[in-house]
Amino acid sequence: MIVGALVAVNALGDVRDLETGGLIAGARALLSAGAPGRFAAPAHTTIGVIATNARLDRAAASKVAALGMLGFARALSPPHTAFDGDTLFALSVGQAPIDLTRLGLAAGEAVAQAIVRGVRAATSLPDLPAARDL
């Protein structure tokens, strides 16, 4: 079984290192004014796709996407706030037989790793430095 994830991160909360729990990015935005401030509109979405070579029908793909959300909880703190529009999709490009729970848990790990890699690879925007620039 092969599983991978691609995630675009625009979360309101912190992004944490998966091994140490240390802060990678985010707290500056939440703590700078004591409230979300310019982040207050529900416009923060972390969105991604999980791809696998496993055989998935519609119900199984939905379950894999739901279990993949565990990756949001591992890498984002807090995940799924009122200001986030977090979404994951799952797709299948193969026919490999699977254990749905194992696949879902692997998807969650892939999602968490994709979030952290994405944040570490990001470049700065005007008035919003990237994690690598701090």
Side-chain angles (χ1 to χ4, degrees):
M1 165 188 69
I2 298 171
V3 63
L6 178 66
V7 181
V9 183
N10 187 24
L12 178 67
D14 297 338
V15 179
R16 297 281 177 179
D17 182 275
L18 301 178
E19 299 300 319
T20 68
L23 180 67
I24 297 170
R28 292 174 295 99
L30 289 173
L31 297 176
S32 63
R38 69 182 173 131
F39 293 104
H44 289 271
T45 298
T46 298
I47 188 168
V49 61
I50 299 161
T52 181
N53 67 337
R55 180 178 47 240
L56 299 178
D57 60 18
R58 185 179 212 165
S62 180
K63 183 67 172 175
V64 168
L67 286 168
M69 286 297 222
L70 294 171
F72 280 46
R74 267 198 81 210
L76 302 175
S77 176
H80 316 302
T81 72
F83 306 107
D84 293 307
D86 300 340
T87 304
L88 273 177
F89 300 93
L91 62 93
S92 170
V93 294
Q95 294 296 319
I98 51 112
D99 173 311
L100 192 55
T101 300
R102 286 183 56 198
L103 176 60
L105 295 176
E109 180 64 21
V111 167
Q113 289 179 17
I115 289 169
V116 170
R117 276 194 318 270
V119 169
R120 285 193 167 132
T123 57
S124 296
L125 295 172
D127 300 319
L128 188 59
R132 70 160 107 184
D133 297 329
L134 300 175

